[in-house]
């Protein structure tokens, strides 16, 4: 077991730990939120909710959760789901590797666990995309195993309880919070205990507008008693996302259809449909006209418009309409997208690549990631 004194953490006596558990769980019993995944102990349902809740607000997740289970009611259904339908179910949630990993994990369950969700922490943690937090949440909530579920909310609360002088953003420090939670967790109600701390950290001790004076366990919190709540948790500032500059090409044919392509490259937004995107080094001044832009870029090789026409073998009549720059922030990158629009008189099919002409009525049948939705919204705002 980890020596917590090495980290200047003095663990409570058993009597104080028992009192803490009782206070926290009594508050949870009275104030817990009524959420659909809290009405079940089905490990598949709990797993879906926990993956969706990563980086996403509860009120946003609820309709996604209900639709996902309607479309894929069992692990077997998820394992066999076609990619387009899988991505459509996740459309708008972001971090799409999550749902791809879920499908791989579902396939693991079908092959390695005979279709039965594993019932041990080790078995759950062996599944693709499931780390210590998610494994602890499923193990404790679905199977009553005394396993901690340490997320950012829990680390925020625990760091204040014991004035933990460790950066919660450093992955290797998580083992300290894990060790503290292993001692604190209620062995009789581990799932409720984990969820109670999550609720406490997401509301009363939230990162924005906390009200720790309302905490049911404030008398246990060293930071509250010492007036050091603002110091904890310790976390170094995030690095700014790297800017990426793109031209988004919205091309319409004589039938009123738009050219969209499927991203077949591995990595970011793989499998989603979008208007063609061409990365550039930077943007020229916004006030330049389309043709001044083309002239200013000429010395650096073909313009994005010329590159597009060559790549797609299309002759485009380009519009001079300008649009506000579309922006979208990923975890480590910030996309800046300038829209270019044009029309073709003679459209062609692309049998050798994943490119289609689609009418707006067709859009709902195809998975669009958030940047694509933002581009379409920007285009529509100028064409209403």
């Amino acid at each position: 077991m980890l020596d917590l004194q090495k980290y200047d953490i003095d663990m409570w006596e058993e009597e104080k730990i028992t009192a803490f558990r009782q206070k926290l769980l009594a508050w949870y019993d009275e104030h817990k939120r009524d959420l659909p995944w809290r009405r079940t102990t089905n490990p598949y349902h709990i797993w879906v909710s926990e993956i969706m809740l990563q980086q996403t607000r509860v009120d946003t997740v609820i309709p996604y959760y209900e639709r996902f289970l309607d479309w894929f009611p069992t692990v077997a259904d998820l394992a066999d789901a076609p990619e387009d339908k899988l991505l459509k179910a996740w459309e708008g949630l972001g971090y799409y590797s999550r749902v791809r990993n879920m499908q791989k994990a579902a396939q693991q369950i079908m092959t390695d666990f005979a279709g039965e969700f594993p019932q041990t922490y080790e078995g759950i943690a062996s599944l693709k995309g499931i780390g210590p937090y998610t494994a602890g949440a499923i193990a404790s909530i679905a199977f009553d195993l005394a396993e901690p579920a340490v997320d950012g909310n829990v680390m925020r609360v625990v760091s204040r309880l014991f004035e933990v002088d460790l950066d919660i953003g450093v992955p290797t420090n998580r083992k300290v919070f894990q060790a503290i939670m292993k001692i604190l967790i209620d062995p009789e109600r581990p799932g409720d205990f984990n969820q109670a701390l999550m609720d406490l950290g997401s509301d009363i001790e939230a990162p924005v507008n906390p009200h720790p004076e309302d905490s049911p366990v404030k008398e246990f919190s060293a930071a509250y008693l010492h007036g050091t709540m603002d110091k904890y948790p310790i976390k170094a500032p995030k690095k700014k996302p790297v800017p990426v500059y793109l031209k988004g090409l919205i091309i319409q044919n004589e039938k009123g259809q738009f050219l969209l392509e499927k991203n077949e490259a591995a990595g970011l937004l793989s499998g989603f449909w979008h208007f063609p995107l061409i990365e550039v080094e930077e943007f020229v001044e916004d006030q330049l006209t389309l043709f001044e832009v083309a002239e200013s870029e000429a010395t650096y090789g073909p313009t994005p418009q010329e590159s597009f026409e060559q790549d797609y073998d299309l002759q485009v009549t380009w519009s001079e309409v300008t649009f506000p720059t579309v922006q979208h922030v990923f975890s480590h990158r910030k996309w800046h997208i300038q829209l270019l629009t044009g029309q073709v008189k003679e459209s062609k099919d692309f049998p050798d690549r994943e490119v289609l002409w689609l009418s707006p009525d067709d859009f709902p049948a195809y998975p669009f990631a958030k940047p694509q939705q933002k581009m379409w919204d920007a285009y529509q705002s100028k064409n209403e």
Side-chain angles (χ1 to χ4, degrees):
M1 181 178 288
L2 195 68
D3 181 6
L4 293 174
Q5 287 190 333
K6 176 183 171 183
Y7 300 93
D8 294 324
I9 298 166
D10 293 323
M11 207 56 216
W12 303 331
E13 298 293 334
E14 189 62 36
E15 185 178 350
K16 188 172 181 179
I17 293 173
T18 300
F20 175 79
R21 293 168 178 164
Q22 290 171 346
K23 275 266 190 178
L24 181 67
L25 288 169
W27 169 80
Y28 179 72
D29 289 339
E30 186 175 352
H31 297 283
K32 67 180 177 182
R33 291 171 291 179
D34 181 24
L35 301 170
W37 45 86
R38 288 187 174 170
R39 303 174 202 146
T40 180
T41 57
N42 184 318
Y44 173 55
H45 295 188
I46 293 164
W47 174 39
V48 171
S49 72
E50 289 296 340
I51 299 297
M52 285 188 171
L53 286 165
Q54 295 171 18
Q55 314 291 336
T56 312
R57 291 172 55 87
V58 168
D59 53 356
T60 301
V61 164
I62 291 173
Y64 279 96
Y65 169 82
E66 292 173 340
R67 184 179 68 173
F68 195 91
L69 291 179
D70 181 51
W71 287 10
F72 316 116
T74 68
V75 171
D77 293 315
L78 175 57
D80 294 336
E83 183 184 53
D84 276 2
K85 188 173 182 180
L86 189 71
L87 294 177
K88 190 69 182 175
W90 209 263
E91 181 182 88
L93 280 177
Y95 300 91
Y96 295 99
S97 60
R98 293 181 296 172
V99 73
R100 288 195 172 91
N101 284 338
M102 283 184 70
Q103 184 170 56
K104 290 174 183 175
Q107 291 164 352
Q108 272 183 269
I109 293 171
M110 298 308 296
T111 56
D112 299 346
F113 296 92
E116 295 292 327
F117 206 100
Q119 298 185 23
T120 65
Y121 177 87
E122 293 74 19
I124 297 167
S126 73
L127 299 176
K128 180 75 173 176
I130 293 185
Y133 162 75
T134 306
I138 298 169
S140 62
I141 298 168
F143 302 114
D144 276 332
L145 300 178
E147 297 290 348
V150 179
D151 69 349
N153 289 318
V154 170
M155 286 194 287
R156 188 181 311 111
V157 174
V158 171
S159 69
R160 291 169 176 170
L161 287 173
F162 296 94
E163 292 184 315
V164 181
D165 290 312
L166 295 172
D167 188 336
I168 66 171
V170 176
T172 53
N173 289 337
R174 185 178 289 262
K175 68 180 182 294
V176 177
F177 294 91
Q178 194 88 4
I180 294 171
M181 278 290 292
K182 193 74 175 174
I183 297 169
L184 288 183
I185 193 167
D186 190 302
E188 301 299 322
R189 298 177 60 187
D192 287 345
F193 184 87
N194 281 331
Q195 291 179 97
L197 279 183
M198 292 175 207
D199 279 7
L200 189 64
S202 64
D203 180 14
I204 291 174
E205 294 197 30
V208 180
N209 299 323
H211 42 107
E213 66 279 1
D214 296 328
S215 172
V217 290
K218 61 187 177 186
E219 69 266 32
F220 295 88
S221 173
Y224 183 81
L225 296 174
H226 298 157
T228 59
M229 291 289 285
D230 290 343
K231 179 182 175 182
Y232 299 98
I234 294 170
K235 188 174 185 182
K238 281 184 178 181
K239 292 181 181 178
K240 289 187 177 180
V242 176
V244 177
Y245 300 96
L246 301 152
K247 301 286 187 176
L249 296 105
I250 302 182
I251 311 301
Q252 194 173 23
N253 68 10
E254 71 281 4
K255 300 175 184 176
Q257 298 169 316
F258 293 87
L259 186 73
L260 286 106
E261 63 182 1
K262 187 176 183 179
N263 183 0
E264 296 185 276
L268 205 58
L269 305 187
S270 175
F272 284 87
W273 291 80
H274 57 80
F275 298 125
L277 293 167
I278 297 177
E279 186 170 349
V280 295
E281 288 190 12
E282 59 183 351
F283 292 153
V284 295
E285 294 297 321
D286 287 342
Q287 63 265 30
L288 297 182
T289 69
L290 179 67
F291 299 102
E292 288 170 330
V293 168
E295 185 177 347
S296 70
E297 293 174 339
T299 57
Y300 299 96
T303 66
Q305 296 95 315
E306 291 169 340
S307 295
F308 172 82
E309 290 181 347
Q310 292 169 11
D311 190 27
Y312 289 81
D313 191 23
L314 291 170
Q315 289 188 333
V316 183
T317 302
W318 297 98
S319 167
E320 288 193 65
V321 175
T322 58
F323 299 83
T325 299
V326 172
Q327 297 183 340
H328 186 77
V329 180
F330 298 95
S331 55
H332 303 298
R333 303 179 197 174
K334 183 175 182 178
W335 279 11
H336 304 262
I337 307 171
Q338 281 187 344
L339 300 183
L340 301 174
T341 60
Q343 291 198 326
V344 295
K345 289 184 178 178
E346 293 184 15
S347 57
K348 56 172 286 188
D349 293 329
F350 301 88
D352 58 335
R353 56 203 291 189
E354 292 276 19
V355 176
L356 294 174
W357 294 98
L358 299 173
S359 73
D361 290 341
D362 297 325
F363 287 0
Y366 292 81
F368 286 174
K370 200 68 176 180
Q372 166 66 18
Q373 294 172 353
K374 288 181 177 180
M375 285 191 284
W376 179 241
D377 290 343
Y379 176 82
Q380 283 189 303
S381 70
K382 282 283 184 105
N383 290 274
E384 289 178 343

mmCIF file of all heavy atoms in Angstrom, residues 23 86 96 147 184 188 212 282 358:
data_model
loop_
_atom_site.group_PDB
_atom_site.id
_atom_site.type_symbol
_atom_site.label_atom_id
_atom_site.label_comp_id
_atom_site.label_asym_id
_atom_site.label_seq_id
_atom_site.Cartn_x
_atom_site.Cartn_y
_atom_site.Cartn_z
ATOM 1 N N LYS A 23 -21.989 11.037 7.038
ATOM 2 C CA LYS A 23 -22.426 12.394 6.691
ATOM 3 C C LYS A 23 -22.624 12.538 5.183
ATOM 4 O O LYS A 23 -23.619 13.088 4.708
ATOM 5 C CB LYS A 23 -21.378 13.407 7.164
ATOM 6 C CG LYS A 23 -21.539 13.829 8.611
ATOM 7 C CD LYS A 23 -22.368 15.104 8.659
ATOM 8 C CE LYS A 23 -22.343 15.698 10.067
ATOM 9 N NZ LYS A 23 -23.099 16.954 10.125
ATOM 10 N N LEU A 86 -23.056 4.345 -35.793
ATOM 11 C CA LEU A 86 -22.352 4.547 -34.524
ATOM 12 C C LEU A 86 -21.950 6.014 -34.363
ATOM 13 O O LEU A 86 -22.183 6.623 -33.314
ATOM 14 C CB LEU A 86 -21.112 3.658 -34.495
ATOM 15 C CG LEU A 86 -20.343 3.566 -33.175
ATOM 16 C CD1 LEU A 86 -21.144 2.778 -32.148
ATOM 17 C CD2 LEU A 86 -18.983 2.913 -33.406
ATOM 18 N N TYR A 96 -14.462 11.550 -30.497
ATOM 19 C CA TYR A 96 -15.102 10.396 -31.133
ATOM 20 C C TYR A 96 -14.336 9.095 -30.941
ATOM 21 O O TYR A 96 -14.888 8.018 -31.166
ATOM 22 C CB TYR A 96 -15.330 10.692 -32.622
ATOM 23 C CG TYR A 96 -16.321 11.812 -32.807
ATOM 24 C CD1 TYR A 96 -15.897 13.110 -33.053
ATOM 25 C CD2 TYR A 96 -17.688 11.587 -32.672
ATOM 26 C CE1 TYR A 96 -16.804 14.149 -33.191
ATOM 27 C CE2 TYR A 96 -18.599 12.612 -32.805
ATOM 28 C CZ TYR A 96 -18.156 13.892 -33.068
ATOM 29 O OH TYR A 96 -19.064 14.917 -33.190
ATOM 30 N N GLU A 147 -14.296 -0.265 -5.091
ATOM 31 C CA GLU A 147 -13.254 0.276 -5.961
ATOM 32 C C GLU A 147 -13.483 1.772 -6.149
ATOM 33 O O GLU A 147 -14.577 2.202 -6.494
ATOM 34 C CB GLU A 147 -13.279 -0.419 -7.325
ATOM 35 C CG GLU A 147 -12.986 -1.913 -7.269
ATOM 36 C CD GLU A 147 -11.523 -2.213 -6.912
ATOM 37 O OE1 GLU A 147 -10.703 -1.268 -6.936
ATOM 38 O OE2 GLU A 147 -11.213 -3.382 -6.625
ATOM 39 N N LEU A 184 -10.967 5.641 2.152
ATOM 40 C CA LEU A 184 -12.204 6.356 2.507
ATOM 41 C C LEU A 184 -13.475 5.632 2.073
ATOM 42 O O LEU A 184 -14.505 5.720 2.741
ATOM 43 C CB LEU A 184 -12.219 7.747 1.869
ATOM 44 C CG LEU A 184 -11.292 8.827 2.408
ATOM 45 C CD1 LEU A 184 -11.543 10.131 1.650
ATOM 46 C CD2 LEU A 184 -11.497 9.038 3.905
ATOM 47 N N GLU A 188 -19.814 -0.840 2.216
ATOM 48 C CA GLU A 188 -21.203 -1.293 2.104
ATOM 49 C C GLU A 188 -21.932 -0.634 0.931
ATOM 50 O O GLU A 188 -22.789 -1.236 0.305
ATOM 51 C CB GLU A 188 -21.960 -0.985 3.405
ATOM 52 C CG GLU A 188 -21.361 -1.630 4.646
ATOM 53 C CD GLU A 188 -21.346 -3.146 4.548
ATOM 54 O OE1 GLU A 188 -22.312 -3.719 4.014
ATOM 55 O OE2 GLU A 188 -20.344 -3.757 4.998
ATOM 56 N N PRO A 212 -18.739 26.257 -0.821
ATOM 57 C CA PRO A 212 -18.312 25.226 0.130
ATOM 58 C C PRO A 212 -18.952 25.360 1.504
ATOM 59 O O PRO A 212 -18.949 24.383 2.268
ATOM 60 C CB PRO A 212 -16.790 25.432 0.208
ATOM 61 C CG PRO A 212 -16.560 26.833 -0.228
ATOM 62 C CD PRO A 212 -17.612 27.106 -1.256
ATOM 63 N N GLU A 282 -1.592 30.195 -42.955
ATOM 64 C CA GLU A 282 -2.259 31.241 -42.190
ATOM 65 C C GLU A 282 -3.265 31.927 -43.097
ATOM 66 O O GLU A 282 -3.314 31.662 -44.293
ATOM 67 C CB GLU A 282 -1.239 32.259 -41.653
ATOM 68 C CG GLU A 282 -0.423 32.931 -42.745
ATOM 69 C CD GLU A 282 0.626 33.872 -42.190
ATOM 70 O OE1 GLU A 282 0.590 34.120 -40.973
ATOM 71 O OE2 GLU A 282 1.466 34.369 -42.966
ATOM 72 N N LEU A 358 -24.922 15.851 -51.988
ATOM 73 C CA LEU A 358 -26.059 15.643 -51.094
ATOM 74 C C LEU A 358 -26.895 16.908 -50.976
ATOM 75 O O LEU A 358 -26.355 18.020 -50.909
ATOM 76 C CB LEU A 358 -25.572 15.254 -49.689
ATOM 77 C CG LEU A 358 -24.759 13.961 -49.562
ATOM 78 C CD1 LEU A 358 -24.225 13.821 -48.139
ATOM 79 C CD2 LEU A 358 -25.608 12.756 -49.924
#
